[in-house]
Amino acid sequence: MAEHKLTTPLSDEDVKKLKAGDTVFLNGTIYTGRDAAHKRLVELIKKGEPLPVDFKGQVIYYVGPAPAKPGQAIGSAGPTTSYRMDPYAPALIEKGLKGMIGKGPRGEDVVEAMKKHCAVYLAATGGAAALIAKSVTKCEVIAYEDLGAEAIRKMEVKDMPLIVAQDCHGGNQFAEGVKQYEKT
Amino acid sequence: MREIRASQITELVKKLCIDANYNLGKDVWEKLEAGRKTEESPTGKAILDQILENAKIARDNEVPMCQDTGFAVIFCELGQDVHVVGGDFNEAINEGVRQGYGEGYLRKSIVDDPVIERKNTKDNTPAIIHLRIVPGDKLKITVAPKGGGSENMSEVKMMKPADGIEGVKEFVIDKVRRSGGNPCPPIVVGVGLGGTFEKCAFLAKKALLRPLGEHNKDPKYAEVEKELLERINKLGIGPQGLGGRTTALAVNIEVHPCHIASMPAAVNINCHASRHKEGTI
C-alpha cells in the first residue's frame, strides 16, 4: 500500500494513481460542506445558477467543526458519516469535484460518478477530531454563514492524514478490508 | 428532606458535559489499548494509534475528542427525600447544557424542528432527560453526549417470542454488520431486551453506561454478551470499517420483563469514545 503526498487542486493523474488502501497526506486548500450546505448547492445546480465555489479540481471535507478556542485555527474537526451526502455528491462530481473526505462507505451512484469523472473518496479517522484539527492551519467561512457548524469553510491543510477508501477504478477498501479479515 | 439548589444542578451538568467530551473514560482507554495490541490489520492499527493519540491531545489541550459533541442525554436518579429549590428542575439541567456547550467550546448540534424547519437552537438544548425517583436524599446525574453518526445506526425490532435467543443474536449481529464503518468502530453495542417498544430502546441506551468489561449480572445474559462480542469481532469490519479484528469493545445487554405476546429487542450503538461521566450531589 503506497503513500502519497498530494496538493490541491487535484488533476485526473493525481486521482488515477490512488488505490484503495493507500495512505494520503493532503496539502493545500480544501472546502467543508455537509448535509444542509449540499442541499443548497444541488438546488443551485438544478436551477442552473452559479455556485459559491468553483469545485473544479477541488476537495470537499464532510465536517462540521467544533468552535475554535482562542488561539486555535479551528476547533476539533473530524469527518462526519458520508452516506448522507450520497444523494448530492454525483451532481458535484459532474461539476469537477475531484475528492471527498468523510467516514463510512459510499453508495453505487457515487461510485459510478467517481469512475466516470475520475474522483476519489478519502477516509479520515472518525472521532480523531482533535488530532485532525492540528493539520488545519487556516480556516474561514466563505458561504452559508447562517448554517453555523454546517457553513461552507475554506481551509488550508498541512499533511492531513487520510486513507484512500474508494478509488476511481472501483477499488473499495471497506469491502476488501472486511473480506480480508472476516472469519467464517 | 434535603434541599438541593437548582444552581448546584446546573453547575454539575455543565461540568459533566465538558468532562465527558474532553476526557476518554479509563475503561475505554484500556480496551482501545488492548485492541491496538491484538489488531492484525496495519490500517486498523494505524487508526487505533490515531484514536489514542487524539484522546491524549483532547485531554492535554482541553478540547473535545470529537467535533460531534452530541445530543446531551442525561440520566438522573433523584432521591425521594430531595427537595429541589430555587428553580425548575428541567430548566436547571438545560441551563447546565447551555453553559457547558458554550463555555466548553462544544458544537451545537440540535435543531428545533426535526423535519421541516431544522433550525439550530444554537445552545445545544433541549437535553434528553431520563428521570428516575429512587430512595435516599441524593441526586446522581450521568451525562452521555451522543453523536449522530452512531445514533443513526440504531434499531428497535418487535420480535416474536418464537425467535428466541438465537433470533436476538442474529438481529444484533446483522445490525452491526449493516452498520459497518458508519458508527465509528471500534464500537460499544448496547442491547435492550424486553419491556415495551419504548422501554427496550431506553434499555439499549442505558446499557452503554455500564463500565466496559463488566457483564450482565445474570450469567445467562453474560454468556450471550461474551458470545456476541466474539462473533462481532470475527466480522472483519475493524477500526472505521476499513478491515480488521477490533470491531467492538463490548456488548452490554439490559433486560426487563415483558408481555406474553412480545419480545422487543433494541440495538443502540456507541462510537469508540463511548462518552459518559457521572456525578452526585
Side-chain angles (χ1 to χ4, degrees):
Chain A
M1 286 174 194
E3 208 176 281
H4 311 266
K5 202 162 171 144
L6 288 179
T7 303
T8 62
L10 303 183
S11 65
D12 282 7
E13 287 64 44
D14 288 332
V15 172
K16 276 180 192 157
K17 67 183 180 196
L18 303 175
K19 299 274 173 358
D22 288 356
T23 299
V24 167
F25 292 98
L26 190 65
N27 292 275
T29 302
I30 62 172
Y31 296 90
T32 73
R34 36 176 293 153
D35 309 56
H38 272 78
K39 188 165 178 243
R40 289 190 188 179
L41 291 172
V42 171
E43 274 165 12
L44 289 177
I45 292 174
K46 277 185 188 154
K47 283 192 230 157
E49 288 175 21
L51 299 178
V53 178
D54 180 2
F55 286 109
K56 224 164 264 153
Q58 300 302 333
V59 174
I60 294 187
Y61 181 20
Y62 302 147
V63 59
K69 273 188 159 182
Q72 279 187 313
I74 193 170
S76 296
T80 195
T81 316
S82 304
Y83 75 83
R84 298 197 316 272
M85 267 52 78
D86 282 4
Y88 309 112
L92 291 169
I93 293 170
E94 271 175 39
K95 288 273 168 197
L97 183 74
K98 283 285 153 218
M100 299 156 286
I101 303 170
K103 69 179 174 80
R106 310 306 299 268
E108 246 343 280
D109 290 352
V110 182
V111 171
E112 284 313 310
M114 281 165 54
K115 281 194 209 163
K116 192 170 165 198
H117 301 282
C118 194
V120 66
Y121 171 53
L122 304 159
T125 297
L131 175 90
I132 294 167
K134 286 190 154 240
S135 57
V136 180
T137 55
K138 252 166 84 179
C139 178
E140 57 170 329
V141 173
I142 56 150
Y144 308 149
E145 194 163 6
D146 60 299
L147 294 179
E150 295 205 66
I152 295 185
R153 289 165 169 81
K154 181 180 176 181
M155 44 166 83
E156 297 295 322
V157 293
K158 193 174 181 307
D159 289 333
M160 184 182 192
L162 304 164
I163 294 161
V164 179
Q166 288 169 259
D167 64 35
C168 70
H169 314 287
N172 180 344
Q173 182 58 30
F174 295 106
E176 288 156 27
V178 170
K179 215 164 94 189
Q180 191 180 348
Y181 291 97
E182 188 178 23
K183 278 186 190 169
T184 46
Chain B
M1 189 69 79
R2 177 172 168 244
E3 287 192 347
I4 291 179
R5 292 189 311 282
S7 58
Q8 287 175 276
I9 298 173
T10 296
E11 199 51 41
L12 178 58
V13 168
K14 170 182 151 183
K15 187 183 126 230
L16 294 174
C17 286
I18 295 172
D19 189 15
N21 273 298
Y22 288 5
N23 295 302
L24 189 69
K26 189 169 169 281
D27 55 337
V28 188
W29 205 301
E30 284 167 4
K31 287 279 175 196
L32 286 167
E33 270 174 351
R36 160 76 178 74
K37 282 194 191 107
T38 52
E39 181 55 58
E40 292 166 31
S41 149
T43 303
K45 230 182 202 356
I47 289 168
L48 289 168
D49 277 341
Q50 283 192 14
I51 289 171
L52 288 162
E53 177 63 18
N54 183 68
K56 282 185 203 135
I57 295 170
R59 179 195 63 197
D60 296 345
N61 297 352
E62 299 185 329
V63 295
M65 291 180 276
C66 182
Q67 79 292 337
D68 184 353
T69 50
F71 212 138
V73 181
I74 300 184
F75 296 80
C76 303
E77 287 183 14
L78 180 65
Q80 62 190 27
D81 298 326
V82 171
H83 182 200
V84 177
V85 296
D88 175 298
F89 176 77
N90 292 299
E91 180 44 33
I93 289 176
N94 279 318
E95 182 57 25
V97 170
R98 204 169 280 130
Q99 292 182 12
Y101 276 71
E103 293 171 32
Y105 293 88
L106 307 180
R107 196 181 78 182
K108 288 78 182 169
S109 313
I110 306 306
V111 290
D112 54 359
D113 174 306
V115 183
I116 299 166
E117 297 289 338
R118 291 190 69 85
K119 239 176 82 198
N120 199 300
T121 63
K122 299 210 162 96
D123 60 6
N124 219 57
T125 68
I128 300 289
I129 302 170
H130 298 297
L131 173 64
R132 203 169 133 237
I133 307 289
V134 297
D137 63 355
K138 297 200 163 40
L139 169 62
K140 181 178 158 193
I141 297 178
T142 306
V143 174
K146 190 67 167 70
S150 63
E151 189 69 0
N152 286 348
M153 298 297 118
S154 304
E155 195 169 329
V156 178
K157 190 171 181 187
M158 302 307 285
M159 304 184 79
K160 294 189 294 291
D163 292 328
I165 193 66
E166 291 308 317
V168 167
K169 289 176 194 167
E170 283 313 311
F171 168 56
V172 175
I173 287 172
D174 185 53
K175 184 73 216 171
V176 171
R177 183 190 287 119
R178 282 186 290 124
S179 300
N182 292 320
C184 278
I187 55 176
V188 176
V189 185
V191 180
L193 299 176
T196 49
F197 177 75
E198 83 285 8
K199 179 73 178 182
C200 80
F202 171 78
L203 291 172
K205 167 102 346 115
K206 195 176 156 228
L208 300 176
L209 304 181
R210 195 197 300 157
L212 304 187
E214 213 172 86
H215 285 288
N216 190 299
K217 287 193 177 64
D218 182 334
K220 300 192 295 292
Y221 286 103
E223 278 314 306
V224 178
E225 288 175 345
K226 287 175 200 165
E227 183 191 327
L228 283 175
L229 180 62
E230 205 183 305
R231 286 173 63 182
I232 286 169
N233 283 330
K234 282 182 182 166
L235 293 175
I237 296 168
Q240 296 296 308
L242 292 164
R245 300 267 180 248
T246 327
T247 301
L249 303 176
V251 177
N252 292 349
I253 300 174
E254 292 289 323
V255 299
H256 195 82
C258 77
H259 191 281
I260 50 171
S262 309
M263 199 178 82
V267 175
N268 193 215
I269 296 180
N270 218 352
C271 65
H272 56 71
S274 191
R275 296 171 295 198
H276 55 91
K277 295 282 172 178
E278 60 180 57
T280 302
I281 301 172

